Amino acid sequence: MYQTANLYLSPDMKMAEVVLNNPYLMLLLEHFGISAPLQEKTIREICDEHKLHPEVFLTFAHLYNGVDYKPAERFTYREVRSIINYLSNSHSYYLGEIYPNILKLIQEMFHDKSQPEQAMVEKFFNNYFDEVREHLNYENDTVFPYITKLYQKIEERGHVNLPETYSVADYQEHHDDIEEKLTDLTNLLVKYLPNNDEPQVRRKLLFTLFELDYDLTIHSKIEDQILIPLVQQMENYLSRKTT
């Protein structure tokens, strides 16, 4: 985990300085679809350019800085699109980049393909990845479209049919803790696998796992502490409106 010197951020701080203070925030920018160069622009200016509420960015950025931050304004349903965009982009990062990279490093670590440890680690990882893929696909295919329909319903954008039997409570029940098995995999590599002549690859693998764990922890906090309560508010609003 990268240690930051100035943990608390404000909208008028220069975005580049914030990123230089905590390079992991480059990942946050990617998840929001924001790319460099950042020039001398402030957080507020860049958020305005990308139609992103500064308080949403600040709330997420403080999670990356390890700070319990309460936004100055209560989020409304209008922020749900930015949150879904962030989560969808993070899914693409997990599925298309970091998980394939982890599997590649596992295979590189075992140059002797007959080693029984390789089969054990690969099987463990593939089973874990199958669970992750199912979890993320469920969110992409079921949860996010449902929330988008809620948003459209509140905005009264044409005729929107909501599922009669689905609610965010179903999402909570389906919300597996995918970080736990990642911790098991990391412990396996650190504590039990025998030494080989690829210590650099093992180090790269561990650093990649730590980076993934760091981002997944924030991902889950955003879903549990921000998205789900916000969707519950949206459901309650529509329920009151129709009664």
Side-chain angles (χ1 to χ4, degrees), residues 55-56 59 69-75:
E55 285 296 332
V56 173
T59 300
Y69 173 79
K70 293 184 178 180
E73 301 175 28
R74 185 178 181 182
F75 294 157

Side-chain angles (χ1 to χ4, degrees), residues 7-238:
L7 295 175
Y8 287 94
L9 311 178
S10 69
D12 297 321
M13 294 177 70
K14 298 290 181 64
M15 183 70 85
E17 294 177 3
V18 168
V19 170
L20 289 171
N21 185 56
N22 181 0
Y24 278 109
L25 290 175
M26 283 301 297
L27 201 52
L28 171 64
L29 293 177
E30 283 185 28
H31 293 344
F32 275 127
I34 300 172
S35 58
L38 303 172
Q39 301 174 335
E40 297 297 320
K41 297 176 182 178
T42 65
I43 292 174
R44 190 191 310 278
E45 289 171 335
I46 288 181
C47 287
D48 288 346
E49 288 179 2
H50 290 82
K51 297 180 172 56
L52 173 64
H53 196 307
E55 285 296 332
V56 173
F57 178 87
L58 288 172
T59 300
F60 289 20
H62 281 98
L63 287 173
Y64 275 80
N65 280 350
V67 174
D68 184 14
Y69 173 79
K70 293 184 178 180
E73 301 175 28
R74 185 178 181 182
F75 294 157
T76 72
Y77 75 93
R78 292 182 178 85
E79 277 67 70
V80 78
R81 292 181 300 172
S82 298
I83 297 171
I84 289 177
N85 179 56
Y86 168 94
L87 295 172
S88 297
N89 287 337
S90 65
H91 290 181
S92 298
Y93 162 70
Y94 300 147
L95 295 173
E97 182 178 339
I98 198 162
Y99 280 112
N101 190 33
I102 289 170
L103 181 58
K104 179 183 176 184
L105 288 169
I106 289 174
Q107 293 168 342
E108 287 180 10
M109 192 170 66
F110 297 97
H111 60 88
D112 180 359
K113 303 303 180 183
S114 64
Q115 290 177 276
E117 293 88 358
Q118 179 184 13
M120 175 183 67
V121 173
E122 279 196 41
K123 180 178 180 181
F124 186 96
F125 176 77
N126 286 329
N127 290 338
Y128 163 68
F129 190 28
D130 286 344
E131 289 186 23
V132 170
R133 188 161 30 222
E134 178 186 356
H135 173 90
L136 300 182
N137 286 340
Y138 171 75
E139 292 185 346
N140 289 337
D141 299 337
T142 302
V143 180
F144 296 162
Y146 169 72
I147 297 173
T148 299
K149 286 183 178 181
L150 284 177
Y151 172 85
Q152 293 170 342
K153 189 78 170 178
I154 293 174
E155 287 279 285
E156 298 182 345
R157 295 186 177 183
H159 184 68
V160 179
N161 289 320
L162 293 173
E164 293 183 3
T165 59
Y166 188 82
S167 74
V168 74
D170 299 292
Y171 175 35
Q172 287 178 293
E173 291 180 5
H174 196 277
H175 203 201
D176 302 323
D177 185 5
I178 58 177
E179 295 103 316
E180 186 175 338
K181 283 196 174 180
L182 180 62
T183 301
D184 292 340
L185 177 60
T186 306
N187 286 334
L188 181 68
L189 292 170
V190 172
K191 294 181 179 180
Y192 301 114
L193 285 189
N195 288 327
N196 57 25
D197 56 359
E198 299 291 346
Q200 296 88 354
V201 178
R202 186 190 294 242
R203 169 173 41 80
K204 290 178 183 178
L205 175 57
L206 287 172
F207 281 6
T208 304
L209 290 171
F210 292 146
E211 177 183 319
L212 174 60
D213 180 68
Y214 174 66
D215 203 68
L216 274 177
T217 299
I218 295 168
H219 186 94
S220 293
K221 286 182 178 179
I222 290 169
E223 291 176 336
D224 293 337
Q225 300 175 15
I226 299 173
L227 180 63
I228 289 176
L230 185 56
V231 175
Q232 288 172 330
Q233 293 174 24
M234 295 167 69
E235 290 176 338
N236 292 337
Y237 170 81
L238 287 173

